[in-house]
Amino acid sequence: MRAMKKSAPRKQHKPRRWLGVLLKLMLAGAVALACLMVYLDAQVREKFEGKRWALPAKVYARPLELYAGLGLNPDDLRQELLQVGYREVPVVNEVGQFARNGDEFMIGRRYVQLWDGAENAARIEVAFEGNTVEDVAINGNPVELARLEPLLIGGIYTAHNEDRDLIQLKEVPPLLAQTLVAVEDRDFYHHFGISIKGISRAMLANIKAGAWVQGGSTLTQQLVKNFYLNQERTLYRKTTEVLMAILLDMHYDKNEILETYLNEVFLGQSGRRAIHGFGLAAQFYFGKHISKLEPHEIALIVGMVKGPSYYNPRRFAERALNRRNTVLMVMHEQGLLSDAQYKHYRYKTLGVTQASDYKNVEYPAFLQLVQRQLREDYNESDLTSEGLKIYTSLDPIVQRHAEIAMQNRLDQTEREYRIARDALEGAMVVAATETGEVEALIGARNPRFFGFNRALDANRPVGSLAKPAVYLAALRSQQYTLITPLDDAPVTVAGRSGTKWQPENYDKQNHGILPLYQAMATSLNQATARLGMTVGLDKVVQTFSDLGVQQELPKYPSILLGSFSLSPFEVAEMYQTLAASGFHTPLKAIRGVTTADGELLSRYGYQVEQSIDSDSAYLIQFAMQKVVSEGTGQYLLQRMPAELNLAGKTGTSDSQRDSWFAGFSGDKLAVTWVGRDDNKPMPLTGASGALRVWADTMAGLPLKPLLPLPGEGISQQWVLPLSQQLTDADCEGAQLIPFIKGSEPTEQISCHAAATEEHSGSWWQSIFGD
């Protein structure tokens, strides 16, 4: 009985006990939910009211400047217009279009904001005579100069590589906003962030499928998912999404939410760049501002929200067309299009720009150079988040020619010399001789490769590219002229430890006595080594420094033949001084930087310093022209007019591991390197490898001839180089050679005497014998 009395109360209090536990759990849940809501509310407010997006810096090529007399192939103009996103049409009716009629172009130029000002939308007429611009007019009026908008060549992105053009709702065609709401969330202006009907519908679909197949998300929920959360399909994430959508709708106006959505949504991929927002999508797919979109274009982009990759119009045109027409049907059903409009736009083509035409090509090697030069003035966070606009010197026409030349020539070389496929690599730097602006940069055989940049970072032995500095040091000393006889006999230099340095010529032959300029033109190692040791290593090293070589070179005899290593970019800086007649200008890639709104932040001018006297520079340029006309660079005469008077120098390192050529015209300098990443020898010299790439590149470009002007300190004389005698212009073997005044030969010889002397043997032979 006592046991029964004790058990009775427990049965009476059990429901009350469970009720208490339940109340406590509910209270704890309510507290937890309240805490979660407070936390989520803070998250929503912090990002939505702060800086919503990290906007990458956008990097632009140079604007194409058109003027009478400009050397330009009409096909290159057409290609650049297509690449910038202009449409080729029979008749130009609006901006963003161009028409070509033979050698005449009509261009509907868009408004252009540049670092140094703006160019208004206008109709530009360009007439060609062959490969030269003959006339330029704007809106029917002849002008001296017309500028086109520059090509967007890349961006400096965050880790997610997101890119967008921010827009305001007032810029968006009302039809686009109405269509988006009609297709994605018809109750957008009436619900409180979530749609109970949508959630119920999705829940039934998921139960029937036995899996998560439908989300039932509103535009607000989609924004929360993209803006705050990840793409996981879990109950916790979905719950968080719902709560944050409610909070977002509580705090902010519907139009503000819609504007944010229009800028956030993912709409495609371009290489590593993620296309976000309708503003950038309008440019990326149609090459026009969002305000200019037509109804069928609006339908396509809105339809892509459902699956940008699946409905990619460039990869899956038929699928994208069906999706677009479905959206057009919704627009018609919702009264956004009339019957006539629906029928008209339904039969329109997709009309997207070609993938290769609009902003789909990046230049990773050049972008690395831009980033390195920008870091001298800007923090990394500024470059990846402030939406800066970087205007550079890259010339897409020159870059395209260089890329094609590099790829095609390396393919051909591997076939001809039976080198393993893709074994060869290459790098190239092209710059303007006067300004030092970099016009093209190749860091790899594959120019789209984001990785090791051989143009900037591949330090390779320069070989015979060092020789112009040796000869320039001799000429600067005023102890030598271009016709000073040099001995190419074997040379031996003893080292401190008893070692001996005995360089040999490439052909293993000795070439006797020959004029200084000819020793350099034919790249003789023995003559160069003897000359450098006679002049002195101190003077040679100083000349390298004056030319722009920044590293401290060891004063070893082997540097005379280029045993030290430089990158192609460093070689270009050295040769730029030679090409600019002794004026050193650091190579630069940036012209100006502005804010996203166009306010000028930085202007990058030219830093010019004369480091080599103009008379000595004139003489070494003459010797380098002889490299092309008489020496190791003669292949260029097979490809290009002799009237260009090109100058250059071939280079081959020990065991033929590196093939170099550096050369320049009156307006362009280019340095080319060809080699192997594994540093194995090649059956190539500078003349058979890098020189061919250089020639293939430059042969397709309009170059100015190299016509350096002699200064007052230069005297031009007709001489017989071997005998160092003045003679008449019409004498056999006579050459017009420049001298620094006071260093000219003093002995005069007539044509008859010269012929008699030649018949009886040279002056050297008459004294020393054979």
Side-chain angles (χ1 to χ4, degrees), residues 322-637:
N322 291 335
R323 176 62 180 163
R324 184 206 69 179
N325 288 342
T326 298
V327 174
L328 285 172
M329 182 174 64
V330 172
M331 296 165 74
H332 179 234
E333 291 173 348
Q334 295 298 309
L336 302 177
L337 293 178
S338 66
D339 291 344
Q341 287 176 318
Y342 172 61
K343 291 177 182 178
H344 172 71
Y345 290 115
R346 192 172 184 277
Y347 292 101
K348 284 270 192 178
T349 62
L350 288 174
V352 295
T353 58
Q354 294 300 310
S356 60
D357 289 347
Y358 188 75
K359 299 181 180 180
N360 200 40
V361 177
E362 288 190 294
Y363 303 92
F366 187 83
L367 288 175
Q368 286 183 20
L369 172 62
V370 170
Q371 286 182 263
R372 293 185 192 188
Q373 295 188 348
L374 281 172
R375 288 192 183 111
E376 298 176 9
D377 300 306
Y378 295 90
N379 297 321
E380 187 68 24
S381 59
D382 296 330
L383 299 177
T384 58
S385 64
E386 296 298 328
L388 302 181
K389 293 182 177 179
I390 318 298
Y391 297 94
T392 75
S393 56
L394 183 116
D395 188 324
I397 295 172
V398 178
Q399 179 75 26
R400 184 168 60 254
H401 281 273
E403 291 176 358
I404 294 171
M406 180 69 73
Q407 291 175 307
N408 291 348
R409 178 56 67 172
L410 293 189
D411 287 343
Q412 181 179 337
T413 301
E414 286 172 346
R415 291 193 301 269
E416 288 181 0
Y417 290 89
R418 298 183 179 181
I419 301 172
R421 186 175 181 181
D422 295 330
L424 297 180
E425 267 295 348
M428 191 171 191
V429 182
V430 183
T433 55
E434 293 185 0
T435 64
E437 288 190 327
V438 179
E439 297 181 352
L441 194 77
I442 297 177
R445 179 175 182 161
N446 174 7
R448 305 284 86 78
F449 174 68
F450 283 87
F452 183 59
N453 190 334
R454 292 162 188 82
L456 302 181
D457 300 322
N459 292 314
R460 307 289 296 222
V462 299
S464 295
L465 290 192
K467 289 176 180 172
V470 178
Y471 288 85
L472 177 58
L475 294 169
R476 294 174 82 188
S477 73
Q478 298 188 3
Q479 302 299 311
Y480 295 82
T481 72
L482 289 169
I483 62 171
T484 299
L486 299 185
D487 186 2
D488 189 52
V491 60
T492 299
V493 180
R496 293 179 181 177
S497 59
T499 59
K500 294 181 179 180
W501 182 57
Q502 297 176 303
E504 293 182 321
N505 291 325
Y506 174 75
D507 61 2
K508 309 297 183 184
Q509 302 295 314
N510 308 321
H511 297 270
I513 305 298
L514 67 170
L516 180 144
Y517 78 84
Q518 192 175 357
M520 197 187 88
T522 52
S523 201
L524 297 181
N525 292 335
Q526 294 171 172
T528 303
R530 179 175 282 103
L531 174 66
M533 294 304 297
T534 304
V535 171
L537 291 175
D538 287 341
K539 291 182 179 179
V540 173
V541 169
Q542 183 60 51
T543 298
F544 276 117
S545 177
D546 291 341
L547 287 173
V549 176
Q550 296 184 7
Q551 64 173 275
E552 187 174 344
L553 298 180
K555 295 177 182 178
Y556 298 148
S558 59
I559 68 168
L560 301 171
L561 303 183
S563 62
F564 59 94
S565 297
L566 296 176
S567 70
F569 190 81
E570 290 172 318
V571 171
E573 289 209 307
M574 169 182 160
Y575 271 76
Q576 189 278 332
T577 309
L578 295 171
S581 301
F583 289 87
H584 177 65
T585 302
L587 299 187
K588 71 186 193 77
I590 307 168
R591 292 181 172 178
V593 179
T594 72
T595 65
D597 298 326
E599 179 185 350
L600 182 64
L601 296 177
S602 305
R603 182 192 299 267
Y604 289 77
Y606 307 117
Q607 302 173 20
V608 183
E609 175 189 4
Q610 184 170 8
S611 57
I612 304 293
D613 68 278
S614 57
D615 292 340
S616 297
Y618 184 85
L619 297 185
I620 198 65
Q621 284 187 340
F622 177 89
M624 295 178 71
Q625 287 176 315
K626 289 295 186 180
V627 172
V628 176
S629 63
E630 300 179 13
T632 57
Q634 290 184 74
Y635 172 78
L636 291 181
L637 298 181

